Amino acid sequence: MSYFAQGPQQNLHAFTFSHVRAEQSLMKQKPLVIWMTGLSASGKSTIADALDLALRAQGRFTCIIDGDSVRTGLCRDLGFTDSDRDENIRRVAEVAGLMVAAGLIVIVALISPSSASRHYARSIIGNEHFVEVHVDAPLAIVEQRDPKGLYKKARSGLLKNFTGIDSNYDTPLFPEVHVQTHLFSVEQSVEIILGWMASAADPA
Ligand code: ADP
């Protein structure tokens, strides 16, 4: 049982449910959050989708949490100021943590620009269940790709607080996995992530 020491939650006592371990062993996989961070258009969603298909083909139980999807639902009340971005990440991390507790491999595709908030997400989920994947490509390349026309809008001033243009991105210093999508194909990036999982995060 855990207790919250202060604030309006002080009288809440979280119940420790007993089903969690049983579900994890039924799925025969190590629950994990694969947290993909990177600039818009670096390839997070594309690689998340291909990785998800590859894992399902291996018989794994997975779920994708994609930045754009959560912003139209769970986080639709949030904007793109630094504090709203932090809250967006906190909510995604909490949901991903629940899914991990249910035994899933959760693929998160979220720009998550600040290293502090990625660190916070890791602390919510737990270090042993958290893999940071830096989906990386130079700004010039992602700006050239610009599949949603967002860089163009940001450059022309129509879109404010856009990561890489007028909002900061903290480059991950020690990600567990680093894929450079200007050098590797989608398939190669998926292989790199699967390779890391096979060596470091195989089912218990
Ligand atoms: P993000 O989720 O990071 O915003 P998306 O996956 O939505 O990025 O978009 C990335 C774009 O870049 C897609 O149009 C994709 O086809 C393209 N792309 C080109 N080369 C690659 C690559 N090697 N890996 C991933 N995406 C790539």
Side-chain angles (χ1 to χ4, degrees):
M1 206 182 284
S2 69
Y3 296 89
F4 298 95
Q6 54 194 345
Q9 299 94 347
Q10 64 184 325
N11 292 318
L12 299 178
H13 307 286
F15 189 85
T16 305
F17 291 97
S18 46
H19 70 278
V20 171
R21 292 282 152 211
E23 279 181 5
Q24 289 184 4
S25 62
L26 271 180
M27 289 187 193
K28 296 196 189 327
Q29 63 184 20
K30 176 171 177 177
L32 205 58
V33 173
I34 301 168
W35 191 284
M36 295 192 181
T37 171
L39 294 174
S40 180
S42 62
K44 299 178 297 300
S45 301
T46 304
I47 294 170
D49 188 41
L51 176 64
D52 184 55
L53 286 174
L55 287 168
R56 282 167 186 258
Q58 291 179 0
R60 309 283 196 211
F61 297 89
T62 62
C63 180
I64 298 178
I65 305 180
D66 186 77
D68 285 352
S69 308
V70 291
R71 281 196 170 275
T72 60
L74 179 68
C75 301
R76 70 179 173 200
D77 55 321
L78 300 176
F80 289 87
T81 60
D82 287 348
S83 65
D84 277 1
R85 282 171 184 270
D86 286 349
E87 174 60 11
N88 186 46
I89 289 166
R90 189 193 68 79
R91 289 186 200 176
V92 168
E94 291 285 357
V95 172
L98 290 173
M99 290 177 169
V100 156
L104 294 173
I105 295 171
V106 188
I107 304 167
V108 174
L110 201 64
I111 296 174
S112 33
S114 97
S115 59
S117 61
R118 295 194 299 264
H119 188 76
Y120 184 53
R122 186 187 289 269
S123 75
I124 289 172
I125 290 154
N127 197 39
E128 72 279 21
H129 294 289
F130 191 93
V131 184
E132 185 172 285
V133 179
H134 182 198
V135 180
D136 187 17
L139 183 62
I141 300 279
V142 295
E143 220 174 327
Q144 207 173 21
R145 289 180 186 161
D146 204 10
K148 301 166 203 157
L150 297 177
Y151 284 99
K152 209 171 170 189
K153 273 191 187 171
R155 285 288 186 200
S156 67
L158 287 173
L159 187 58
K160 296 286 176 206
N161 298 325
F162 195 69
T163 308
I165 305 297
D166 59 350
S167 186
N168 193 43
Y169 179 77
D170 294 336
T171 301
L173 296 179
F174 304 107
E176 277 84 358
V177 186
H178 182 200
V179 290
Q180 294 172 290
T181 64
H182 53 301
L183 302 177
F184 302 132
S185 68
V186 175
E187 293 72 23
Q188 286 171 323
S189 297
V190 168
E191 280 308 314
I192 290 168
I193 299 167
L194 289 176
W196 184 91
M197 289 175 70
S199 66
D202 229 17

